Amino acid sequence: MADEQKQQLFKDAMGNYPTGVTIVTATASNSEPIGLTVNSFASVSLDPLLILWSIDHKVSTIQEFVKGGKFAVHILAGNQQDVCMNFAKKGVDRFSTCEWSFSPEHNLPIIEGAFAVLQCKIFKTVEAGDHTILIGEVDDIQIDTDKDPMLYHRRHFASIPAEFYNQKK
Ligand SMILES: Cc1cc2nc3c(=O)[nH]c(=O)nc-3n(C[C@H](O)[C@H](O)[C@H](O)COP(=O)(O)O)c2cc1C
């Protein structure tokens, strides 16, 4: 199979794989908040508590994320589609489009209204092709079980009603 054809099939397969959506934030060396929309997030380990996400080498803030040593993962709620899109757009003052504040524990920018927020310190980074994988050790977790998480599939957003989970409890 030709490389181009394989790449297209890869994109089609991965785009058809449903995920949640997160926004990952950090504090840059000039103390400004930075952040981007991420769906490569995954759980890794329970002992210690580890998660991962991968960042494209083209992202303008990659060095700040890698050097900063810590980041906050916001697992988005179903009604946060606007903020989700804003944090993937160029030329937008991303943090002016949402309510946020620095966390007292880790001085990380925390965006309001997420389903869950995981504040992490970098456990390890792994170079992988045109991305860097950031593995984070989770220090703090906040969760709002009244919110429904966002789903992402084939560039479409959806949400699962909280009642779905309440019925399963
Ligand atoms: C739903 C969605 C998921 C995304 N997931 C990732 C991801 O996992 N890793 C990544 O590097 N970029 C991801 N992006 C793209 C980045 O958000 C985008 O390239 C980044 O915000 C650009 O930042 P910059 O303008 O500072 O370079 C995703 C975008 C969207 C809309």
Side-chain angles (χ1 to χ4, degrees):
M1 192 186 287
D3 282 353
E4 269 177 31
Q5 192 188 356
K6 234 191 289 182
Q7 203 177 60
Q8 190 54 53
L9 286 175
F10 177 83
K11 282 186 188 171
D12 292 345
M14 299 316 289
N16 220 337
Y17 178 65
T19 66
V21 192
T22 70
I23 290 175
V24 185
T25 61
T27 305
S29 45
N30 64 1
S31 303
E32 291 295 318
I34 53 173
L36 74 158
T37 301
V38 161
N39 74 337
S40 54
F41 170 74
S43 165
V44 174
S45 158
L46 259 182
D47 185 17
L49 291 177
L50 300 178
I51 55 90
L52 68 73
W53 62 288
S54 63
I55 186 166
D56 194 320
H57 291 166
K58 290 186 194 135
V59 172
S60 64
T61 48
I62 181 170
Q63 290 309 326
E64 296 283 0
F65 271 103
V66 171
K67 283 186 195 149
K70 55 188 180 176
F71 54 79
V73 180
H74 303 70
I75 301 178
L76 296 183
N79 64 356
Q80 290 187 297
Q81 294 181 16
D82 288 349
V83 69
C84 167
M85 291 316 297
N86 287 336
F87 273 73
K89 275 186 204 150
K90 297 216 174 276
V92 171
D93 179 0
R94 295 176 180 181
F95 285 88
S96 73
T97 68
C98 61
E99 297 293 321
W100 68 277
S101 58
F102 284 112
S103 67
E105 309 90 2
H106 300 286
N107 194 39
L108 287 166
I110 305 298
I111 297 168
E112 282 181 20
F115 173 73
V117 181
L118 312 178
Q119 295 186 68
C120 307
K121 60 179 183 237
I122 293 182
F123 179 81
K124 192 174 186 174
T125 61
V126 180
E127 290 305 309
D130 55 13
H131 280 59
T132 298
I133 300 169
L134 288 97
I135 302 173
E137 182 163 359
V138 180
D139 262 349
D140 276 286
I141 306 180
Q142 292 137 40
I143 182 160
D144 184 347
T145 46
D146 288 338
K147 293 209 155 57
D148 50 310
M150 183 184 289
L151 294 182
Y152 186 68
H153 181 231
R154 286 191 186 167
R155 299 188 177 193
H156 292 287
F157 298 101
S159 59
I160 303 176
E163 301 82 60
F164 175 83
Y165 299 100
N166 294 336
Q167 282 167 19
K168 305 266 165 185
K169 273 180 190 166

